[in-house]
Amino acid sequence: MSNPSHLFSQEKTYIMGIVNRTPDSFSDGGRYTNLDTAVHHALHLVKDGADVLDIGGESTRPGFDTVTAEEEIERVVPLIKRLADETDVPISVDTYKAEVAEEAVKAGAAVLNDVWAGEKSPSTLNVAKRYEVPIILMHNQKEPQYTDVAADVCAYLQSRLDVAREMGIPEEHLIVDPGIGFGKTFEHNITVLQQLEKVVELGVPVLLGTSRKRFIGHILGTDENERMEGTLATVAYGIQKGCHIMRVHDVKEAKRLATVMDILLRKEG
């Protein structure tokens, strides 16, 4: 497995492939609840060019059903163990629960992806520090109320970075995500995307997760399964704005796009 300390340190765009072991995720809910099917899908994403695999055991779609930490562990840990044995591609776990994060890391996960930036379960930050793994801190809030959405998102992320740094999490282990689609209206999402350079200016790698999201469907008038082209437009735009990691369902297409974009923007291959 790649050294997680330097996972996102190179000048290139990383493609994070999504694997949800959930019955209710908005795009692929129910497809990969079977362990063997999930393993097969994840390895297919690796073949397609995924640099990281992001494993989720609880949906974060609007109106999602919460699950216990025990149930989430039952969903993600066996998959992480299998994948850690079968591929060298680093594994991320998409969870805000410290108990899940710790069991996932013990099973072989190399990155924590917390959609509540350590706020719902502050111990998740302790897990990142104790096991010396990177953590992705995402902007999230329940109600879409802002004074200036881009400035407010950046201020929140800065505050969470400050907390993580004060805890002693090293700089090279910090990543942020502006949380497109989380606690934001259509207009908020567009504004944050248009001002992504402000998030990049926080000085740590930026993950962008736009894949198949509702705002793309709003623009195109399409359902979840017909949003690939719109997703790829946002991936290209995010790369041009300086984002580092693209979290997507359609790995092959995003990887090809990113490879060309990196050459055009004179990034290292």
Side-chain angles (χ1 to χ4, degrees):
M1 180 180 295
S2 301
N3 183 345
S5 299
H6 305 289
L7 197 54
F8 305 116
S9 61
Q10 298 177 44
E11 279 295 313
K12 61 168 275 187
T13 302
Y14 293 82
I15 302 300
M16 175 183 277
I18 300 168
V19 184
N20 288 317
R21 280 207 79 194
T22 54
D24 57 342
S25 289
F26 79 95
S27 181
D28 56 1
R31 288 190 192 177
Y32 308 115
T33 51
N34 176 273
L35 180 58
D36 288 336
T37 303
V39 170
H40 177 79
H41 175 61
L43 295 177
H44 183 74
L45 295 183
V46 171
K47 185 177 179 182
D48 281 348
D51 299 294
V52 189
L53 294 170
D54 194 41
I55 311 302
E58 177 179 281
S59 174
T60 53
R61 66 173 176 81
F64 72 93
D65 297 322
T66 58
V67 300
T68 64
E70 291 74 21
E71 186 173 358
E72 196 175 337
I73 287 167
E74 287 176 8
R75 291 178 179 179
V76 301
V77 165
L79 177 55
I80 291 169
K81 284 181 177 178
R82 285 275 300 274
L83 292 175
D85 286 340
E86 296 189 37
T87 180
D88 289 332
V89 168
I91 300 162
S92 165
V93 60
D94 181 359
T95 187
Y96 58 86
K97 301 184 183 81
E99 309 98 301
V100 179
E102 182 159 15
E103 292 305 314
V105 172
K106 287 179 180 178
V111 183
L112 304 182
N113 184 9
D114 187 343
V115 299
W116 285 102
E119 271 203 307
K120 275 210 170 183
S121 179
S123 296
T124 304
L125 293 170
N126 290 324
V127 174
K129 180 184 177 182
R130 189 162 69 252
Y131 290 93
E132 300 181 338
V133 295
I135 184 166
I136 300 161
L137 306 172
M138 194 190 84
H139 174 272
N140 202 346
Q141 62 185 58
K142 291 184 178 179
E143 298 297 329
Q145 298 174 345
Y146 302 92
T147 303
D148 175 330
V149 64
D152 291 353
V153 166
C154 288
Y156 173 87
L157 292 174
Q158 182 64 66
S159 71
R160 301 311 299 163
L161 286 171
D162 290 345
V163 169
R165 288 166 177 145
E166 287 167 9
M167 288 185 60
I169 296 175
E171 193 72 14
E172 64 268 21
H173 285 185
L174 297 173
I175 301 147
V176 294
D177 177 348
I180 300 299
F182 289 82
K184 300 171 183 68
T185 65
F186 172 79
E187 290 79 11
H188 291 147
N189 288 319
I190 297 300
T191 299
V192 173
L193 285 167
Q194 289 173 334
Q195 299 183 43
L196 277 171
E197 67 277 2
K198 294 182 178 178
V199 182
V200 173
E201 287 169 4
L202 292 172
V204 299
V206 176
L207 182 147
L208 186 64
T210 55
S211 189
R212 302 182 185 176
K213 288 191 173 174
R214 184 181 296 177
F215 81 97
I216 295 172
H218 180 84
I219 295 170
L220 299 178
T222 56
D223 65 19
E224 295 89 349
N225 296 315
E226 292 192 12
R227 297 177 184 171
M228 182 173 67
E229 298 90 346
T231 297
L232 294 176
T234 63
V235 170
Y237 188 74
I239 294 170
Q240 192 159 23
K241 286 281 191 174
C243 297
H244 307 77
I245 310 156
M246 302 293 152
R247 184 179 182 273
V248 297
H249 298 85
D250 302 295
V251 166
K252 181 189 289 185
E253 295 81 2
K255 182 70 172 184
R256 289 175 175 176
L257 183 151
T259 300
V260 175
M261 287 295 295
D262 283 356
I263 294 296
L264 293 174
L265 295 171
R266 300 184 183 280
K267 292 186 178 183
E268 295 293 332

